[in-house]
Coordinates of all heavy atoms in Angstrom, one line a residue:
M1381 N -19.1 -0.6 37.0 CA -18.1 -1.4 37.8 C -17.4 -2.5 36.9 O -18.0 -3.0 36.0 CB -18.9 -2.0 38.9 CG -17.9 -2.6 40.0 SD -18.8 -3.0 41.5 CE -17.7 -4.0 42.3
D1382 N -16.2 -2.7 37.2 CA -15.4 -3.7 36.4 C -15.4 -5.1 37.1 O -14.6 -5.3 38.0 CB -14.0 -3.2 36.3 CG -13.6 -2.8 34.9 OD1 -14.5 -3.0 34.0 OD2 -12.4 -2.5 34.7
F1383 N -16.2 -5.9 36.5 CA -16.3 -7.3 37.1 C -15.3 -8.2 36.4 O -15.0 -8.1 35.2 CB -17.7 -7.9 36.9 CG -18.7 -7.1 37.8 CD1 -19.7 -6.5 37.1 CD2 -18.6 -7.1 39.1 CE1 -20.7 -5.8 37.9 CE2 -19.6 -6.5 39.9 CZ -20.6 -5.8 39.3
K1384 N -14.9 -9.2 37.1 CA -14.0 -10.2 36.5 C -14.9 -11.0 35.5 O -16.1 -11.3 35.8 CB -13.5 -11.1 37.6 CG -12.6 -12.2 37.1 CD -11.7 -12.9 38.2 CE -10.8 -13.8 37.3 NZ -10.4 -14.9 37.9
E1385 N -14.3 -11.4 34.4 CA -15.1 -12.2 33.5 C -14.9 -13.7 33.6 O -13.7 -14.2 33.7 CB -14.8 -11.8 32.0 CG -15.2 -10.4 31.7 CD -15.5 -10.2 30.2 OE1 -15.0 -11.0 29.4 OE2 -16.2 -9.2 29.9
Y1386 N -15.9 -14.5 33.5 CA -15.8 -16.0 33.5 C -16.5 -16.6 32.3 O -17.5 -16.0 31.8 CB -16.5 -16.5 34.8 CG -15.9 -16.1 36.0 CD1 -16.3 -15.0 36.8 CD2 -14.8 -16.8 36.6 CE1 -15.7 -14.6 37.9 CE2 -14.2 -16.4 37.8 CZ -14.6 -15.3 38.4 OH -14.1 -14.9 39.6
S1387 N -15.9 -17.7 31.8 CA -16.5 -18.4 30.7 C -17.6 -19.2 31.2 O -17.8 -19.5 32.3 CB -15.4 -19.2 30.0 OG -15.1 -20.2 30.9
K1388 N -18.4 -19.7 30.2 CA -19.5 -20.6 30.5 C -19.0 -21.9 31.2 O -19.7 -22.4 32.1 CB -20.2 -21.1 29.1 CG -21.3 -20.3 28.7 CD -22.0 -20.9 27.5 CE -23.3 -20.3 27.3 NZ -24.1 -21.0 26.2
S1389 N -17.8 -22.3 30.8 CA -17.3 -23.6 31.5 C -16.9 -23.3 32.9 O -16.9 -24.2 33.7 CB -16.3 -24.3 30.6 OG -15.3 -23.4 30.1
Q1390 N -16.3 -22.1 33.1 CA -16.0 -21.8 34.5 C -17.2 -21.7 35.4 O -17.2 -22.2 36.5 CB -15.2 -20.5 34.5 CG -13.8 -20.6 34.0 CD -13.1 -19.2 33.9 OE1 -13.5 -18.3 33.3 NE2 -11.9 -19.2 34.6
L1391 N -18.2 -21.1 34.8 CA -19.5 -21.0 35.5 C -20.1 -22.4 35.7 O -20.6 -22.7 36.8 CB -20.5 -20.2 34.6 CG -22.0 -20.1 35.1 CD1 -22.1 -19.5 36.5 CD2 -22.8 -19.4 34.1
A1392 N -20.0 -23.3 34.8 CA -20.5 -24.6 34.9 C -19.9 -25.4 36.1 O -20.6 -26.3 36.6 CB -20.3 -25.4 33.5
L1393 N -18.7 -25.1 36.4 CA -18.1 -25.8 37.5 C -18.7 -25.4 38.9 O -18.6 -26.1 39.9 CB -16.6 -25.5 37.6 CG -15.7 -26.2 36.5 CD1 -14.3 -25.7 36.6 CD2 -15.7 -27.7 36.8
R1394 N -19.4 -24.3 38.9 CA -20.0 -23.8 40.2 C -21.5 -24.2 40.2 O -22.4 -23.4 40.4 CB -19.9 -22.2 40.2 CG -18.5 -21.8 40.8 CD -17.4 -22.1 39.9 NE -16.1 -21.6 40.5 CZ -15.0 -21.4 39.8 NH1 -15.0 -21.5 38.5 NH2 -13.9 -21.0 40.4
N1395 N -21.7 -25.4 39.9 CA -23.1 -26.0 39.8 C -23.6 -26.6 41.1 O -24.7 -27.2 41.2 CB -23.2 -27.0 38.7 CG -22.2 -28.2 38.9 OD1 -21.5 -28.2 39.9 ND2 -22.3 -29.1 38.0
G1396 N -22.7 -26.5 42.1 CA -23.1 -27.0 43.4 C -22.7 -28.5 43.6 O -23.0 -29.1 44.6
Q1397 N -22.1 -29.0 42.6 CA -21.6 -30.4 42.6 C -20.1 -30.6 42.5 O -19.5 -31.4 43.2 CB -22.2 -31.2 41.5 CG -23.8 -31.1 41.4 CD -24.5 -32.0 42.4 OE1 -24.2 -33.2 42.5 NE2 -25.4 -31.4 43.2
D1398 N -19.5 -29.7 41.7 CA -18.1 -29.9 41.4 C -17.2 -29.0 42.3 O -16.0 -29.3 42.5 CB -17.8 -29.6 40.0 CG -18.6 -30.5 39.0 OD1 -18.5 -31.7 39.3 OD2 -19.2 -30.1 38.1
K1399 N -17.7 -27.8 42.7 CA -16.9 -26.9 43.6 C -17.8 -26.4 44.7 O -19.0 -26.6 44.6 CB -16.4 -25.7 42.8 CG -15.2 -26.1 41.8 CD -14.7 -24.8 41.2 CE -13.5 -25.0 40.3 NZ -12.2 -25.1 41.1
V1400 N -17.2 -25.8 45.7 CA -18.0 -25.4 46.8 C -18.9 -24.1 46.5 O -20.0 -24.0 47.0 CB -17.2 -25.1 48.1 CG1 -16.7 -26.3 48.7 CG2 -16.1 -24.0 47.8
E1401 N -18.4 -23.3 45.5 CA -19.2 -22.2 45.2 C -20.4 -22.5 44.3 O -20.3 -23.4 43.5 CB -18.4 -21.1 44.4 CG -17.2 -20.6 45.1 CD -15.9 -21.4 44.5 OE1 -16.1 -22.5 44.0 OE2 -14.8 -20.9 44.8
I1402 N -21.5 -21.8 44.6 CA -22.7 -22.0 43.8 C -23.0 -20.7 43.1 O -23.4 -19.7 43.8 CB -23.9 -22.6 44.6 CG1 -23.5 -23.8 45.4 CG2 -25.1 -22.8 43.8 CD1 -24.6 -24.3 46.3
W1403 N -22.9 -20.7 41.7 CA -23.1 -19.4 41.0 C -24.3 -19.6 40.0 O -24.5 -20.7 39.4 CB -21.9 -19.1 40.2 CG -20.7 -18.8 41.0 CD1 -20.6 -18.6 42.4 CD2 -19.4 -18.5 40.5 NE1 -19.3 -18.2 42.7 CE2 -18.5 -18.2 41.5 CE3 -18.8 -18.5 39.2 CZ2 -17.2 -17.9 41.4 CZ3 -17.5 -18.2 39.0 CH2 -16.7 -17.9 40.1
V1404 N -25.0 -18.5 39.8 CA -26.0 -18.5 38.7 C -25.8 -17.2 37.9 O -25.6 -16.1 38.5 CB -27.4 -18.3 39.4 CG1 -28.6 -18.1 38.4 CG2 -27.7 -19.6 40.1
A1405 N -26.0 -17.3 36.6 CA -25.8 -16.1 35.8 C -27.2 -15.6 35.4 O -28.2 -16.4 35.1 CB -25.0 -16.4 34.5
Y1406 N -27.4 -14.3 35.5 CA -28.7 -13.7 35.0 C -28.3 -12.3 34.4 O -27.7 -11.5 35.0 CB -29.5 -13.4 36.3 CG -30.8 -12.8 35.9 CD1 -31.9 -13.5 35.2 CD2 -31.1 -11.5 36.3 CE1 -33.1 -13.0 34.9 CE2 -32.4 -10.9 35.9 CZ -33.3 -11.6 35.2 OH -34.5 -11.0 34.8
K1407 N -28.8 -12.2 33.2 CA -28.6 -11.0 32.4 C -27.1 -10.5 32.4 O -26.7 -9.4 32.8 CB -29.5 -9.8 32.8 CG -30.9 -10.1 32.5 CD -31.8 -8.8 32.8 CE -33.2 -9.0 32.3 NZ -34.1 -8.0 32.8
S1408 N -26.2 -11.5 32.1 CA -24.8 -11.3 32.0 C -24.0 -11.2 33.3 O -22.8 -11.2 33.3 CB -24.4 -10.1 31.0 OG -24.9 -10.3 29.8
L1409 N -24.7 -11.1 34.4 CA -24.0 -11.0 35.7 C -24.0 -12.3 36.4 O -25.1 -13.0 36.3 CB -24.7 -9.9 36.5 CG -24.6 -8.5 35.9 CD1 -25.3 -7.5 36.9 CD2 -23.1 -8.0 35.7
I1410 N -23.0 -12.7 37.1 CA -22.9 -13.9 37.9 C -23.1 -13.5 39.3 O -22.4 -12.7 39.9 CB -21.6 -14.6 37.6 CG1 -21.4 -14.9 36.1 CG2 -21.5 -15.9 38.4 CD1 -20.0 -15.5 35.7
Y1411 N -24.0 -14.3 39.9 CA -24.4 -14.1 41.4 C -23.9 -15.3 42.2 O -24.1 -16.4 41.7 CB -25.9 -13.9 41.5 CG -26.4 -12.7 40.9 CD1 -26.8 -12.6 39.6 CD2 -26.6 -11.5 41.7 CE1 -27.3 -11.5 39.0 CE2 -27.0 -10.3 41.1 CZ -27.5 -10.3 39.8 OH -27.9 -9.2 39.2
D1412 N -23.4 -15.0 43.3 CA -23.0 -16.1 44.2 C -24.2 -16.4 45.1 O -24.5 -15.7 46.1 CB -21.8 -15.7 45.0 CG -21.3 -16.8 45.9 OD1 -21.9 -17.8 46.1 OD2 -20.0 -16.8 46.3
V1413 N -24.8 -17.6 44.9 CA -26.0 -17.9 45.7 C -25.6 -19.1 46.7 O -26.5 -19.7 47.3 CB -27.2 -18.3 44.8 CG1 -27.6 -17.2 44.0 CG2 -26.9 -19.5 43.9
S1414 N -24.3 -19.2 47.0 CA -23.9 -20.3 47.9 C -24.5 -20.2 49.3 O -24.8 -21.3 49.9 CB -22.4 -20.2 48.2 OG -21.6 -20.1 46.9
A1415 N -24.8 -19.0 49.7 CA -25.4 -18.9 51.1 C -26.9 -19.2 51.1 O -27.5 -19.3 52.2 CB -25.2 -17.5 51.6
S1416 N -27.5 -19.4 50.0 CA -28.9 -19.6 49.9 C -29.4 -21.0 50.3 O -28.9 -22.0 49.6 CB -29.5 -19.2 48.6 OG -30.9 -19.6 48.5
R1417 N -30.3 -21.2 51.1 CA -30.9 -22.5 51.4 C -31.7 -23.0 50.3 O -31.9 -24.3 50.2 CB -31.8 -22.4 52.7 CG -31.0 -22.4 54.0 CD -32.0 -22.2 55.2 NE -32.9 -23.2 55.3 CZ -34.3 -23.0 55.1 NH1 -34.7 -21.8 55.0 NH2 -35.2 -24.0 55.2
L1418 N -32.1 -22.1 49.4 CA -33.0 -22.5 48.3 C -32.1 -23.0 47.2 O -32.8 -23.4 46.1 CB -33.9 -21.3 47.9 CG -34.9 -21.0 49.0 CD1 -35.6 -19.7 48.7 CD2 -36.0 -22.1 49.0
W1419 N -30.8 -22.9 47.2 CA -30.0 -23.3 46.1 C -29.0 -24.4 46.6 O -27.9 -24.6 46.0 CB -29.2 -22.2 45.5 CG -30.1 -21.3 44.7 CD1 -30.8 -20.2 45.0 CD2 -30.3 -21.5 43.2 NE1 -31.5 -19.7 44.0 CE2 -31.2 -20.5 42.8 CE3 -29.8 -22.4 42.3 CZ2 -31.6 -20.3 41.5 CZ3 -30.3 -22.2 41.0 CH2 -31.1 -21.2 40.6
R1420 N -29.4 -25.1 47.7 CA -28.5 -26.1 48.3 C -28.2 -27.2 47.2 O -29.0 -27.7 46.5 CB -29.1 -26.8 49.4 CG -28.3 -26.3 50.7 CD -28.9 -27.1 51.9 NE -30.3 -27.2 51.9 CZ -31.1 -27.2 53.0 NH1 -30.5 -27.2 54.1 NH2 -32.4 -27.2 52.9
K1421 N -26.9 -27.5 47.2 CA -26.4 -28.5 46.2 C -26.5 -28.1 44.7 O -26.4 -28.9 43.8 CB -27.0 -29.9 46.4 CG -26.8 -30.4 47.8 CD -26.6 -31.9 47.7 CE -26.5 -32.6 49.1 NZ -25.9 -32.0 50.2
G1422 N -26.9 -26.8 44.6 CA -27.0 -26.3 43.2 C -28.4 -26.4 42.6 O -28.6 -26.0 41.4
M1423 N -29.3 -27.0 43.3 CA -30.6 -27.2 42.8 C -31.6 -26.2 43.3 O -31.7 -26.0 44.5 CB -31.0 -28.6 43.1 CG -31.7 -29.3 41.9 SD -32.0 -31.0 42.1 CE -32.7 -31.2 43.6
H1424 N -32.5 -25.7 42.4 CA -33.5 -24.8 42.8 C -34.8 -25.1 42.0 O -34.9 -24.9 40.8 CB -33.1 -23.3 42.4 CG -34.1 -22.3 42.8 ND1 -34.2 -21.9 44.1 CD2 -34.9 -21.5 42.1 CE1 -35.2 -21.0 44.2 NE2 -35.6 -20.7 43.0
Y1425 N -35.7 -25.8 42.7 CA -36.8 -26.4 42.0 C -36.3 -27.2 40.8 O -35.4 -28.0 41.0 CB -37.9 -25.3 41.7 CG -38.3 -24.7 43.0 CD1 -37.6 -23.6 43.6 CD2 -39.4 -25.2 43.7 CE1 -38.0 -23.1 44.8 CE2 -39.7 -24.7 45.0 CZ -39.0 -23.6 45.5 OH -39.4 -23.1 46.7
E1426 N -36.8 -27.0 39.6 CA -36.2 -27.8 38.6 C -35.1 -27.2 37.8 O -34.6 -27.6 36.8 CB -37.3 -28.2 37.5 CG -37.8 -27.1 36.7 CD -39.2 -26.6 37.2 OE1 -39.4 -26.5 38.5 OE2 -40.1 -26.3 36.4
H1427 N -34.4 -26.2 38.4 CA -33.3 -25.6 37.8 C -32.0 -25.8 38.5 O -32.0 -26.0 39.7 CB -33.6 -24.0 37.8 CG -34.7 -23.7 37.0 ND1 -34.8 -23.7 35.6 CD2 -36.0 -23.3 37.4 CE1 -35.9 -23.3 35.2 NE2 -36.7 -23.1 36.2
W1428 N -30.9 -25.9 37.7 CA -29.6 -26.1 38.2 C -28.7 -24.8 38.1 O -28.8 -24.1 37.1 CB -28.9 -27.2 37.4 CG -29.3 -28.6 37.8 CD1 -30.2 -29.3 37.2 CD2 -28.8 -29.3 39.0 NE1 -30.3 -30.5 37.9 CE2 -29.4 -30.5 39.0 CE3 -27.8 -29.0 40.0 CZ2 -29.2 -31.5 40.0 CZ3 -27.6 -30.0 40.9 CH2 -28.3 -31.2 40.9
A1429 N -27.9 -24.6 39.1 CA -27.0 -23.5 39.1 C -25.9 -23.9 38.1 O -25.9 -24.9 37.5 CB -26.4 -23.3 40.5
G1430 N -24.9 -22.9 37.9 CA -23.8 -23.2 37.0 C -24.1 -22.9 35.6 O -23.4 -23.2 34.7
Q1431 N -25.2 -22.1 35.4 CA -25.6 -21.7 34.0 C -26.3 -20.4 34.0 O -26.6 -19.8 35.0 CB -26.4 -22.8 33.4 CG -27.5 -23.4 34.3 CD -28.4 -24.4 33.6 OE1 -28.5 -24.5 32.4 NE2 -28.9 -25.3 34.4
D1432 N -26.5 -19.9 32.8 CA -27.2 -18.7 32.6 C -28.7 -19.0 32.6 O -29.2 -19.7 31.7 CB -26.9 -18.2 31.2 CG -27.5 -16.9 30.8 OD1 -28.4 -16.4 31.7 OD2 -27.2 -16.2 29.8
L1433 N -29.4 -18.5 33.6 CA -30.9 -18.8 33.8 C -31.7 -17.6 33.4 O -32.9 -17.6 33.8 CB -31.1 -19.3 35.2 CG -30.6 -20.7 35.6 CD1 -30.8 -21.0 37.0 CD2 -31.1 -21.8 34.7
T1434 N -31.2 -16.7 32.6 CA -32.0 -15.5 32.2 C -33.3 -15.9 31.6 O -34.4 -15.4 32.0 CB -31.2 -14.6 31.2 OG1 -29.9 -14.4 31.7 CG2 -31.9 -13.4 30.9
D1435 N -33.3 -16.8 30.6 CA -34.5 -17.2 29.9 C -35.5 -18.0 30.7 O -36.7 -18.1 30.4 CB -34.1 -17.9 28.6 CG -33.4 -17.1 27.7 OD1 -33.4 -15.9 27.8 OD2 -32.7 -17.6 26.8
E1436 N -35.0 -18.5 31.8 CA -35.8 -19.3 32.7 C -36.6 -18.5 33.7 O -37.5 -19.1 34.3 CB -35.0 -20.4 33.4 CG -34.7 -21.7 32.5 CD -33.8 -21.4 31.4 OE1 -32.9 -20.5 31.6 OE2 -33.9 -22.1 30.4
L1437 N -36.2 -17.3 34.0 CA -36.9 -16.6 35.0 C -38.4 -16.4 34.8 O -39.2 -16.3 35.7 CB -36.3 -15.1 35.2 CG -36.8 -14.5 36.4 CD1 -36.3 -15.1 37.7 CD2 -36.6 -12.9 36.4
K1438 N -38.8 -16.4 33.5 CA -40.2 -16.3 33.2 C -41.0 -17.5 33.7 O -42.2 -17.4 34.0 CB -40.5 -16.2 31.7 CG -40.0 -17.4 30.9 CD -40.3 -17.2 29.4 CE -39.9 -18.3 28.5 NZ -38.9 -19.3 29.0
D1439 N -40.4 -18.6 34.1 CA -41.1 -19.7 34.6 C -41.3 -19.6 36.2 O -41.9 -20.4 36.8 CB -40.3 -21.1 34.4 CG -40.1 -21.2 32.8 OD1 -40.9 -20.8 32.1 OD2 -39.0 -21.8 32.6
A1440 N -40.5 -18.6 36.8 CA -40.5 -18.5 38.2 C -41.7 -17.8 38.7 O -42.2 -16.9 38.1 CB -39.2 -17.8 38.6
P1441 N -42.1 -18.1 40.0 CA -43.3 -17.4 40.6 C -42.8 -16.1 41.2 O -43.5 -15.5 42.1 CB -43.7 -18.4 41.7 CG -42.5 -19.1 42.1 CD -41.6 -19.2 40.9
H1442 N -41.6 -15.6 40.9 CA -41.1 -14.4 41.5 C -40.3 -13.6 40.4 O -40.1 -14.1 39.3 CB -40.0 -14.7 42.6 CG -38.9 -15.7 42.2 ND1 -37.9 -15.3 41.3 CD2 -38.8 -17.0 42.5 CE1 -37.2 -16.4 41.1 NE2 -37.6 -17.4 41.9
T1443 N -40.0 -12.4 40.7 CA -39.3 -11.5 39.8 C -37.8 -11.6 40.0 O -37.3 -12.3 40.9 CB -39.7 -10.0 40.0 OG1 -39.2 -9.6 41.2 CG2 -41.2 -9.9 39.9
E1444 N -37.0 -10.7 39.3 CA -35.6 -10.7 39.4 C -35.2 -10.0 40.7 O -34.0 -10.1 41.1 CB -34.9 -10.0 38.2 CG -35.4 -8.5 38.1 CD -34.9 -7.8 36.8 OE1 -34.3 -8.5 35.9 OE2 -34.9 -6.6 36.8
A1445 N -36.1 -9.5 41.5 CA -35.8 -8.9 42.8 C -35.2 -9.9 43.8 O -34.4 -9.5 44.6 CB -37.1 -8.3 43.4
V1446 N -35.3 -11.2 43.5 CA -34.8 -12.2 44.3 C -33.2 -12.1 44.3 O -32.5 -12.6 45.2 CB -35.2 -13.6 43.9 CG1 -36.6 -13.9 44.3 CG2 -34.9 -13.9 42.5
F1447 N -32.6 -11.5 43.3 CA -31.2 -11.4 43.2 C -30.6 -10.2 44.0 O -29.4 -10.2 44.2 CB -30.8 -11.2 41.8 CG -30.9 -12.4 40.9 CD1 -31.9 -12.6 40.0 CD2 -30.0 -13.5 41.1 CE1 -32.0 -13.7 39.3 CE2 -30.1 -14.6 40.3 CZ -31.1 -14.8 39.4
E1448 N -31.4 -9.3 44.4 CA -31.0 -8.1 45.1 C -30.0 -8.3 46.3 O -29.1 -7.6 46.5 CB -32.1 -7.2 45.6 CG -32.7 -6.4 44.4 CD -34.1 -5.8 44.8 OE1 -34.5 -5.8 45.9 OE2 -34.7 -5.3 43.8
K1449 N -30.3 -9.4 47.1 CA -29.5 -9.6 48.2 C -28.2 -10.4 48.0 O -27.5 -10.7 48.9 CB -30.3 -10.3 49.4 CG -30.8 -11.7 49.0 CD -31.6 -12.1 50.3 CE -31.8 -13.6 50.3 NZ -33.1 -14.0 51.0
F1450 N -28.0 -10.8 46.8 CA -26.8 -11.6 46.4 C -25.8 -10.7 45.8 O -26.0 -9.8 45.1 CB -27.1 -12.8 45.5 CG -28.1 -13.7 46.3 CD1 -29.4 -13.7 46.1 CD2 -27.5 -14.7 47.1 CE1 -30.2 -14.6 46.7 CE2 -28.3 -15.5 47.9 CZ -29.7 -15.5 47.6
K1451 N -24.5 -11.1 46.0 CA -23.4 -10.3 45.5 C -23.1 -10.7 44.1 O -23.1 -12.0 43.7 CB -22.2 -10.7 46.4 CG -21.3 -9.5 46.7 CD -20.1 -9.9 47.6 CE -18.9 -9.7 46.8 NZ -17.7 -10.4 47.4
V1452 N -22.8 -9.8 43.2 CA -22.4 -10.1 41.9 C -20.9 -10.3 42.0 O -20.1 -9.6 42.5 CB -22.6 -8.9 40.9 CG1 -22.0 -9.2 39.6 CG2 -24.1 -8.6 40.8
I1453 N -20.5 -11.5 41.5 CA -19.1 -11.8 41.6 C -18.3 -11.8 40.2 O -17.2 -11.9 40.2 CB -18.8 -13.2 42.3 CG1 -19.6 -14.3 41.6 CG2 -19.2 -13.2 43.8 CD1 -18.8 -14.9 40.5
G1454 N -19.1 -11.6 39.2 CA -18.4 -11.5 37.9 C -19.4 -11.3 36.8 O -20.7 -11.2 37.0
K1455 N -18.9 -11.3 35.6 CA -19.6 -11.2 34.4 C -19.4 -12.4 33.5 O -18.3 -13.0 33.5 CB -19.0 -9.9 33.6 CG -20.1 -9.1 33.0 CD -19.3 -7.8 32.5 CE -20.1 -7.1 31.4 NZ -20.3 -7.8 30.2
L1456 N -20.5 -12.8 32.8 CA -20.4 -14.0 31.9 C -19.8 -13.6 30.6 O -20.3 -12.6 29.9 CB -21.8 -14.6 31.7 CG -21.8 -16.0 31.0 CD1 -20.9 -17.0 31.7 CD2 -23.2 -16.4 30.9
K1457 N -18.7 -14.2 30.2 CA -18.1 -13.9 28.9 C -19.1 -14.2 27.8 O -19.7 -15.3 27.8 CB -16.9 -14.8 28.7 CG -15.6 -14.1 29.0 CD -14.4 -15.0 28.7 CE -13.3 -14.8 29.7 NZ -12.3 -15.9 29.7
T1458 N -19.1 -13.4 26.8 CA -20.1 -13.7 25.7 C -19.6 -14.6 24.6 O -20.3 -15.3 24.0 CB -20.6 -12.3 25.1 OG1 -19.5 -11.5 25.0 CG2 -21.6 -11.7 26.0
S1459 N -18.3 -14.6 24.4 CA -17.7 -15.4 23.3 C -17.4 -16.8 23.8 O -17.3 -17.0 25.0 CB -16.4 -14.8 22.8 OG -15.6 -14.5 23.9
Ligands
LIG598 C1 -40.1 -23.3 38.5 C2 -39.2 -22.3 38.7 C3 -39.0 -21.7 40.0 C4 -39.7 -21.8 41.2 C5 -40.9 -22.6 41.5 C6 -39.0 -20.9 42.1 C7 -39.4 -20.7 43.4 C8 -38.8 -19.8 44.3 C9 -39.2 -19.5 45.7 C10 -40.5 -20.1 46.3 C11 -38.3 -18.7 46.2 C12 -38.4 -18.0 47.6 C13 -39.5 -17.0 47.8 C14 -39.4 -15.8 46.9 O1 -38.3 -15.1 47.0 O2 -40.3 -15.6 46.0 C15 -37.3 -18.4 45.2 C16 -36.2 -17.6 45.4 C17 -35.2 -17.4 44.5 N1 -35.2 -17.8 43.2 FE1 -36.6 -19.0 42.4 N2 -37.9 -20.3 41.5 C18 -37.9 -20.7 40.2 C19 -37.0 -20.3 39.2 C20 -35.9 -19.5 39.4 C21 -35.0 -19.2 38.4 C22 -35.0 -19.6 36.9 C23 -34.1 -18.4 38.9 C24 -32.9 -17.7 38.3 C25 -33.0 -17.0 37.2 C26 -34.4 -18.3 40.4 C27 -33.7 -17.6 41.3 C28 -34.1 -17.4 42.6 C29 -33.2 -16.7 43.6 C30 -31.9 -16.1 43.4 C31 -33.9 -16.7 44.8 C32 -33.6 -16.1 46.1 C33 -33.0 -17.2 47.0 C34 -32.8 -16.8 48.5 O3 -33.4 -15.7 48.8 O4 -32.3 -17.5 49.2 N3 -35.5 -18.9 40.6 N4 -37.6 -19.1 44.1

């Protein structure tokens, strides 16, 4: 599937503080977690939305299955 690409700084604006959307990147895909009560204001336990949290999943008490119910809204630009 062809996702729209977003830069790190575009993602950073969706941190739950600067814009209404709340996005999290995981393994190059960007998920919209705005509807989640667990990501209110962009905060999830000690983690903040608006960034790539791939490397942080190992600290979570859950697997990546938590992303299944969220929509992928784009892809994180690598450059
Ligand atoms: C100390 C670290 C973390 C803690 C204590 C934590 C805790 C939790 C808990 C208790 C839930 C709900 C129950 C469940 O689905 O298992 C949850 C859901 C979720 N977590 Fe985490 N988590 C952590 C880190 C992360 C990280 C790093 C990510 C992203 C890579 C993440 C993404 C999510 C998502 C997307 C959900 C689903 C939210 C929903 O269904 O509304 N979590 N987390």
Side-chain angles (χ1 to χ4, degrees):
M1381 196 167 160
D1382 244 1
F1383 294 116
K1384 183 165 182 209
E1385 293 208 342
Y1386 293 95
S1387 65
K1388 268 190 165 182
S1389 47
Q1390 286 174 306
L1391 172 62
L1393 286 170
R1394 276 69 180 201
N1395 60 357
Q1397 305 284 308
D1398 299 312
K1399 284 186 179 277
V1400 290
E1401 303 97 342
I1402 305 176
W1403 294 354
V1404 171
Y1406 180 73
K1407 292 191 175 167
S1408 299
L1409 297 178
I1410 301 175
Y1411 294 86
D1412 186 339
V1413 297
S1414 307
S1416 175
R1417 281 178 53 244
L1418 292 166
W1419 284 90
R1420 250 187 315 210
K1421 303 216 187 327
M1423 220 170 48
H1424 182 73
Y1425 299 88
E1426 68 260 41
H1427 298 285
W1428 279 98
Q1431 43 177 337
D1432 181 353
L1433 290 175
T1434 306
D1435 294 341
E1436 276 70 31
L1437 189 73
K1438 60 174 181 347
D1439 306 327
H1442 52 70
T1443 67
E1444 63 186 12
V1446 290
F1447 286 106
E1448 281 168 11
K1449 69 180 191 209
F1450 295 97
K1451 224 179 112 195
V1452 174
I1453 56 87
K1455 218 173 159 294
L1456 187 59
K1457 262 186 216 163
T1458 42
S1459 51

